[in-house]
Amino acid sequence: MKSVTKAYRPISWPMKGSGGDTGSWRSHRPVVDTKKCSKCQLCWVYCPEAVIDRHEITIDYRYCKGCGVCAKECPTGAISMEKEE
Amino acid sequence: MTTSIKQLPDNEQVLSGNGSCGGCPSPMALRIVGKALGPNAIMLLTPSCAVASMGMTPRLAYNWPCINVCFATAGSSASGIAQAVEILKEKGRLQGELPTVFNWVGDGGTYDIGFQALSAAAERNDNIIHFCYNNEAYSNTGVQRSGATPRGSFTTTTPGGKRQPKKNMALLMLEHDIPYVATATVAYPGDLYDKVVKAKSIPGMKYIEILAPCYLGWQFDMPDTVQMSRMAVRSGAWLLWEAENGKISFNNPSSFIVSGIKDADPVDEYVMKQGRFNRLLKGPDAAQRIAEIQGDIDRQIAFMRERAKITI
Ligand SMILES: Cc1ncc(C[n+]2csc(CCOP(=O)(O)OP(=O)(O)O)c2C)c(N)n1
Ligand code: SF4
Ligand code: SF4
Ligand code: SF4
Ligand SMILES: [Mg+2]
């Protein structure tokens, strides 16, 4: 049998922003009050977009879709959803 | 002991800025699955929201080699890939640990369209993990009824509410006599993580089903994805269990409900928070419709309690 030597390369590669700058979808922006935050990481674990830094609890607004799951799940009420301009 | 959130690994297999709706349960669950599987895996998908969410060429939202296959073929395609990697290893063309071959498939691709090929893969005990992220409808095409849609739920093909109960797919997979079956949901990430770690270590066919509340299809508020998942478990509408070599055990908090230590929450609150149910609960027959939904849940709890007693 003839051996196949041609290498087939995929056309897509893992990269952030595959859906574009999804931060532009937001109507409300999650804002963390660091004084109230206990660093429990619940917001980090539930964020569907993986945009929360688990140690600093900072948010990458370029991709955060503003879904509000983090604010809803935060046990200390440290995250408020503020209307975008 | 369930793995705590702070013990979960750092790796991210779902990359920010993907195409899913805000609050989508599919990337939420897949992030946890990715932490358990690690980067050495091959992902197969059938047409679904998870495919539509992969993003636009040349970018890809999932940090694994991904293969999109025809709707009916998740079982057979994954079996083929699992065979292929084993043969490549035998021939010395693949070094190191074999990648985990897994399906990430919706309820449509699992309960209905993909059932035959999945059943065959289970009967052959092929070395794959089939994940069903179950949003209880064909969401990607605008929310049509599936075999996972519960009784009483509105979809575009059940405008008056579905008249039949959903099927118990995880139990059907268990009855194929495969080494591992589990159910999970997004509100309990430690439970999901541990189940995937376990599945990865077991050779043969593994089936893990993850209840995935979809705000668009279920018609609740976008921030409530996790709340809805938690309410499903607390009301007993979704039971957390796993079965190793056919022996079923229930996980917290479902174990308390099944054993009778704690009563399940009445289904009313869960149902009334979702437009797919509550839009049909305005007429004089509302009480009877809720009783039907509650009846299905009670019957499933009672049935699974008895089924779990069979350990031969
Ligand atoms: C053979 C075939 N039939 C129908 C379709 C159209 N289609 C694409 S995605 C989809 C819905 C999939 O539902 P499910 O598997 O539950 O995933 P979800 O969209 O809910 O995430 C359908 C019907 C298709 N792509 N191929
Ligand atoms: S959930 Fe709230 S308290 Fe916990 S880390 Fe996030 S912001 Fe802080
Ligand atoms: S609003 Fe949604 S996407 Fe943004 S950080 Fe919170 S959970 Fe993540
Ligand atoms: S329709 Fe539902 S499952 Fe599909 S991307 Fe949106 S939230 Fe996710
Ligand atoms: Mg579906």
Side-chain angles (χ1 to χ4, degrees), chain B residues 62 78 82 92 110 142 177 208 265 272 278 300:
Chain B
Y62 308 133
T110 302
D177 224 348
I208 299 181
D265 293 346
M272 292 316 283
N278 73 22
Q300 272 302 321

Side-chain angles (χ1 to χ4, degrees), chain A residues 42-57:
Chain A
L42 273 171
C43 54
W44 167 79
V45 83
Y46 288 130
C47 173
E49 279 308 305
V51 293
I52 303 181
D53 182 296
R54 74 188 296 185
H55 302 297
E56 303 299 326
I57 317 295

Side-chain angles (χ1 to χ4, degrees), chain B residues 2 47 54 59 64 66 69 76 78 88 114 118 121 127 153 157 168 197 205 208 217 233 238 248 258 273 277 298 301:
Chain B
T2 313
M54 294 174 99
R59 291 174 197 246
W64 287 292
C66 291
V69 300
S76 41
L88 287 173
L118 185 61
N127 189 23
S153 175
T157 47
N168 189 339
V197 167
M205 176 82 188
I208 299 181
V233 172
W238 188 250
I248 298 175
V258 173
K273 272 221 158 189
F277 291 116
D298 294 346
I301 294 172

Side-chain angles (χ1 to χ4, degrees), chain B residues 170 181-185 191 195 208-209 238-242 251:
Chain B
V181 176
T183 64
T185 184
D191 175 73
K195 286 168 175 170
I208 299 181
E209 183 164 335
W238 188 250
L239 294 176
L240 298 175
W241 57 271
E242 64 187 321
N251 311 103

